[in-house]
């Protein structure tokens, strides 16, 4: 009996020691060295493999051990800086979170770093085989497909080719887009695209005239789409799955009107013919018609050779609204963005971008929508790095001009 007790007390002393040790170690480094199969593969499958797969938008796969082992150091660096997985909005929870926000926790980043520092050990493969890569979201159904009608091969002389295509969805009555899924023809070239609804005959005529004036399919539209009444309905960056607009909301497409598809092709990973399709989910009516409205600082004047210059603007909210999500937009000098709403000295954070990347444009929905009231003051502030410029940079459509915009998907309350 005495002996048994002694053993028990010895065990508990040991386990206490072990606990104490564990806590101390957790604060500095993980307790054991992470291995590929146990710790790393599940993270890569969930957060990376949807793009880093053969034929995906990323230039190399992250599916097998050898893929990860070869790139371990690059994985460590790109995740520590949060340039991978690519997502420009801050999804940490300090300023909202987003549905399908691509984001690693600090603990996951630390696991990848500890694994890389330890020389990328493999560990033992699990019996059930490797974890399945996370499937991207799909639409419930496809009601219409916007198709480019023919294939387009980007201009060999333009590294970044922006092309606009005037397309007829053949609508006999007004409909509401409730979700979309972009299916790129050449995923590795497609940087981002925007589909606009053209609302008036005059704008349609302007778009058609541009199209007719240039040989080949569509027209070049790097500086401007050149169509006045064009309303955003679809926007997607590379590697995104389907997006469903919030329940009960949708964006109107008018009977008889055409659409304008703007695609930004980048030829870094080669050049070939592309025929991209956009699947749409539609409703005849929605309880809450949504609109995309922007807040923008259009008064930008950015002197050259500055590590940090700011532009900002504010405007009052004209009616009670619910904000469901946003698309932040700057050009190549943009570094950070902050959007807020305030009333009587109290500030709500609407969105934050910590490290802007022009190449990752995209729309994201809030996990929890935000209500704003008439008279709330919205404010947008963008910061830029102009060290690379010799002359002042101002607001403009060209990629070497600058912008500072947050496009919000909203409904009136
Ligand atoms: C939405 C698609 C997508 C996802 C998800 C993604 N990547 Fe990438 N990754 C890319 C593309 C595209 C590139 C090519 C360079 C670029 O365009 O930034 C790239 C490049 C890289 C590079 C090369 C160096 C660099 O930073 O450009 C590394 C390393 C990398 N990714 C690691 C990861 C890891 C690790 C994850 C998951 C934690 C991940 N990526 C998730 C698309 C993606």
């Amino acid at each position: 009996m005495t002996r048994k007790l002694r053993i028990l007390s010895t065990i508990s002393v040991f386990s206490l020691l072990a606990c104490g040790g564990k806590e101390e170690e957790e604060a500095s480094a993980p307790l054991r060295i992470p291995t590929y199969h146990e710790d790393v593969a599940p993270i890569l499958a969930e957060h990376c493999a949807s793009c880093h797969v053969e034929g995906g938008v990323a230039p190399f796969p992250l599916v097998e051990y050898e893929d990860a082992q070869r790139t371990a150091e690059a994985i460590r660096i790109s995740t520590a800086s949060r340039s991978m997985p690519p997502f420009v909005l801050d999804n940490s929870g300090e300023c909202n979170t987003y549905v399908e926000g691509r984001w690693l926790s600090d603990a996951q980043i630390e696991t990848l770093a500890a694994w890389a520092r330890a020389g990328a050990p493999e560990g033992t493969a699990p019996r059930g085989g490797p974890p399945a890569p996370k499937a991207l979201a799909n639409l419930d159904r496809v009601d219409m497909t916007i198709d480019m009608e023919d294939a387009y091969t980007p201009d060999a002389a333009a590294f970044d080719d922006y092309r606009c295509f005037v397309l007829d969805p053949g609508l006999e009555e007004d409909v509401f887009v409730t979700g979309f899924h972009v299916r790129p023809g050449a995923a590795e070239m497609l940087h981002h695209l925007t589909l606009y609804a053209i609302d008036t005959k005059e704008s349609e005529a302007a778009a058609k005239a541009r199209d007719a004036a240039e040989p080949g399919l569509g027209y070049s539209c790097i500086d401007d789409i050149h169509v006045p009444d064009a309303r955003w309905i679809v926007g997607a960056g590379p590697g995104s799955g389907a997006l469903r607009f919030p329940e009960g909301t949708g964006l109107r497409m008018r009977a008889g009107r055409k659409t304008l598809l703007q695609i930004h092709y980048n030829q870094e990973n080669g050049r070939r013919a592309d025929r991209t399709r956009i699947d749409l989910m539609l409703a005849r009516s929605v309880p809450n018609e949504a609109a995309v409205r922007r807040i923008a600082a259009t008064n930008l004047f950015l002197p050259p050779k500055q590590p940090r210059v700011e532009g900002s603007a504010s405007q009052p909210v004209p009616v009670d609204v619910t904000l469901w999500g946003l698309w932040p937009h700057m050009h190549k000098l943009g570094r950070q963005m902050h959007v807020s709403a305030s009333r009587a000295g109290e500030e709500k954070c609407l969105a934050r971008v910590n490290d802007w990347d022009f190449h990752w444009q995209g729309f994201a929905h809030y996990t929890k929508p935000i209500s704003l009231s008439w008279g709330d003051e919205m404010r947008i502030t963008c910061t830029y790095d102009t060290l690379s410029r010799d002359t002042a940079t101002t607001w403009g459509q060209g990629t070497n001009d600058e912008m500072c915009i947050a496009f919000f998907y909203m409904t009136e309350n």
Side-chain angles (χ1 to χ4, degrees):
M1 190 67 184
T2 348
R3 204 170 152 213
K4 230 187 192 170
L5 263 179
R6 217 178 25 235
I7 293 173
L8 271 178
S9 59
T10 324
I11 290 173
S12 55
V13 168
F14 268 121
S15 48
L16 276 175
L17 278 176
C19 278
K22 190 178 169 194
E23 266 166 28
E24 259 169 41
E25 273 190 59
E26 267 183 359
S28 53
L31 190 56
R32 60 180 179 78
I33 292 170
T35 70
Y36 173 76
H37 289 297
E38 278 174 288
D39 309 282
V40 172
I43 300 177
L44 302 187
E46 165 96 19
H47 297 279
C48 317
S50 59
C51 295
H52 286 271
V53 64
E54 217 54 65
V57 300
F60 58 93
L62 285 176
V63 176
E64 307 285 341
Y65 169 65
E66 288 70 26
D67 304 332
Q69 187 223 9
R70 215 175 14 243
T71 55
E73 188 55 13
I75 291 176
R76 183 185 71 73
I77 293 168
S78 66
T79 53
S81 65
R82 290 199 179 278
S83 67
M84 286 289 147
F87 190 69
V88 296
L89 286 156
D90 184 326
N91 195 39
S92 67
E94 282 171 25
C95 177
N96 309 305
T97 54
Y98 300 87
V99 179
E100 303 280 329
R102 295 188 287 245
W103 194 261
L104 296 181
S105 67
D106 290 346
Q108 288 172 319
I109 293 174
E110 182 47 39
T111 297
L112 295 174
W115 172 74
R117 279 195 300 260
E122 178 168 11
T124 5
R127 260 195 242 136
K134 187 184 164 200
L136 291 174
N138 245 317
L139 292 178
D140 305 335
R141 50 168 213 282
V142 176
D143 297 311
M144 177 189 283
T145 297
I146 304 275
D147 181 349
M148 274 167 59
E149 290 165 2
D150 203 351
Y152 172 74
T153 307
D155 178 358
F159 190 70
D160 286 289
D161 187 5
Y162 286 66
R163 198 79 182 170
C164 281
F165 308 94
V166 186
L167 304 172
D168 186 1
L171 289 172
E172 285 168 12
E173 54 182 315
D174 283 17
V175 292
F176 294 85
V177 177
T178 58
F180 61 81
H181 186 189
V182 174
R183 291 189 289 121
E188 76 287 357
M189 271 187 345
L190 194 141
H191 239 270
H192 73 276
L193 64 72
T194 311
L195 181 72
Y196 300 91
I198 305 179
D199 278 338
T200 61
K201 273 193 176 145
E202 294 70 34
S203 287
E204 201 168 292
K208 279 184 167 163
R210 286 263 162 194
D211 194 0
E214 272 187 48
L217 197 63
Y219 62 93
S220 169
C221 54
I222 185 158
D223 284 344
D224 191 343
I225 56 173
H226 303 288
V227 178
D229 298 302
R231 211 164 24 85
W232 188 99
I233 39 175
V234 164
S240 25
L243 191 98
R244 258 166 292 183
F245 291 139
E247 197 57 40
T249 73
L251 293 170
R252 186 187 294 264
M253 283 170 79
R254 292 183 203 283
R257 299 268 67 88
K258 296 204 170 30
T259 58
L260 185 75
L261 174 62
Q262 183 193 37
I263 303 188
H264 172 189
Y265 294 104
N266 174 276
Q267 303 183 45
E268 193 170 342
N269 297 316
R271 171 171 175 264
R272 64 183 172 115
D274 169 65
R275 181 169 182 169
T276 288
R277 294 174 172 85
I278 304 173
D279 291 337
L280 299 179
M281 203 161 70
L282 303 174
R284 283 229 159 81
S285 66
V286 287
N288 246 327
E289 178 172 353
V292 174
R293 299 261 152 75
R294 68 177 208 183
I295 175 165
T298 56
N299 54 349
L300 295 178
F301 181 84
L302 311 171
K305 303 286 174 217
Q306 304 295 315
R308 190 187 156 89
V309 233
E310 255 182 39
S312 67
S314 46
Q315 68 188 47
V317 176
V319 286
D320 293 358
V321 291
T322 300
L323 305 181
W324 299 92
L326 82 153
W327 174 318
H329 184 66
M330 296 183 276
H331 289 174
K332 292 175 170 171
L333 303 180
R335 290 298 175 266
Q336 285 104 29
M337 181 188 288
H338 182 234
V339 194
S340 63
S342 58
R343 164 171 295 255
E346 278 216 22
E347 195 181 276
K348 250 187 235 178
C349 191
L350 301 183
R352 200 162 70 189
V353 172
N354 301 318
D355 192 6
W356 171 250
D357 184 344
F358 175 69
H359 295 303
W360 289 100
Q361 306 277 342
F363 192 76
H365 280 142
Y366 292 126
T367 316
K368 283 198 210 101
I370 300 174
S371 292
L372 296 183
S373 308
W374 173 84
D376 285 359
E377 189 75 0
M378 276 175 95
R379 184 168 188 83
I380 184 167
T381 304
C382 298
T383 59
Y384 304 87
D385 172 345
T386 62
L387 286 173
S388 61
R389 296 286 164 90
D390 296 320
T391 53
T393 306
T394 54
W395 171 273
Q397 296 275 348
T399 28
N400 289 327
D401 303 323
E402 267 307 327
M403 289 204 167
C404 173
I405 314 179
F407 294 98
F408 283 99
Y409 182 94
M410 59 169 74
T411 52
E412 286 186 19
N413 292 353

